[in-house]
Amino acid sequence: MTTESSNLSVHITTNSDSEARTSSFLPLTPPPIQIIGPTTSVSYIYSTRPSFTLTHNADLSTYRDVLSFGPPYVSFPVAGASGVAYLNFGPNPEQEEGSWHRTQTVDYIVMLEGELELSLDGGETRIMKKGDVVVQRAAMHKWKNLSRTERAIYVAVLLGADGAMEGGIEFGREILK
């Protein structure tokens, strides 16, 4: 089971409310990890509400609220909101297939390590390698780690499109929340 985030460090900046408006870093804390499959985990990095403000660090309040509620963390944001996640696909010795799913989001995905097969319900398949970027627009898709011995990792920035529901994910024709 994949539970590690390879010593992932998340550096979040903040600004003082004083007139000098100085910037600093928040204390470094490891992101929470949520197991989402037999070999896959997601680390919650950050999220914002729709039309968020930075005034008085309001977005940080949202982030802290999400952390305090515990899992499941916001992975699929509502319309106009955003989220950042770090996905770790462990070795796949049995070459198990991923699950077909879709969210009402635009996802900017950057491959950091390994190779993943991205399959679309229209029958197309692509192999994503380190450095590849995917702009995924509410596509019905599934991921599969092609390595039996090595993990694969990507970071995704998700933006909720019209009709997106918090945590909403479609498996086939069924929408789960």
Side-chain angles (χ1 to χ4, degrees):
M1 186 178 321
T2 299
T3 57
E4 63 184 71
S5 288
S6 75
N7 301 318
L8 180 62
S9 295
V10 178
H11 304 270
I12 300 173
T13 63
T14 186
N15 296 302
S16 68
D17 287 331
S18 70
E19 285 188 35
R21 216 160 136 74
T22 57
S23 299
S24 61
F25 288 104
L26 292 178
L28 197 59
T29 56
I33 299 170
Q34 185 175 329
I35 305 302
I36 59 172
T39 62
T40 308
S41 66
V42 61
S43 296
Y44 167 75
I45 305 299
Y46 203 79
S47 59
T48 62
R49 292 187 172 129
S51 302
F52 67 94
T53 179
L54 300 175
T55 304
H56 303 295
N57 293 315
D59 64 309
L60 287 174
S61 294
T62 299
Y63 168 71
R64 289 181 178 123
D65 287 348
V66 169
L67 288 178
S68 71
F69 294 140
Y73 298 100
V74 176
S75 295
F76 307 112
V78 299
S82 71
V84 182
Y86 176 98
L87 279 89
N88 186 345
F89 297 80
N92 191 359
E94 304 302 318
Q95 289 298 288
E96 294 179 32
E97 296 291 329
S99 298
W100 289 104
H101 62 284
R102 173 193 338 252
T103 58
Q104 290 302 308
T105 57
V106 172
D107 306 343
Y108 304 115
I109 299 166
V110 180
M111 286 293 302
L112 301 178
E113 186 177 319
E115 292 185 359
L116 291 174
E117 179 182 76
L118 173 57
S119 299
L120 304 179
D121 65 344
E124 292 181 80
T125 300
R126 300 257 172 103
I127 306 301
M128 303 300 155
K129 299 178 181 182
K130 181 179 179 177
D132 285 349
V133 176
V134 179
V135 178
Q136 189 163 262
R137 303 173 55 253
M140 181 64 76
H141 67 283
K142 65 180 180 177
W143 294 95
K144 176 182 176 181
N145 185 351
L146 296 176
S147 176
R148 295 177 187 276
T149 59
E150 302 294 324
R151 69 182 181 180
I153 296 173
Y154 71 67
V155 168
V157 176
L158 301 93
L159 305 175
D162 286 345
M165 301 177 299
E166 186 171 308
I169 185 167
E170 176 185 350
F171 290 96
R173 297 188 186 275
E174 182 180 354
I175 298 177
L176 302 177
K177 285 176 48 171

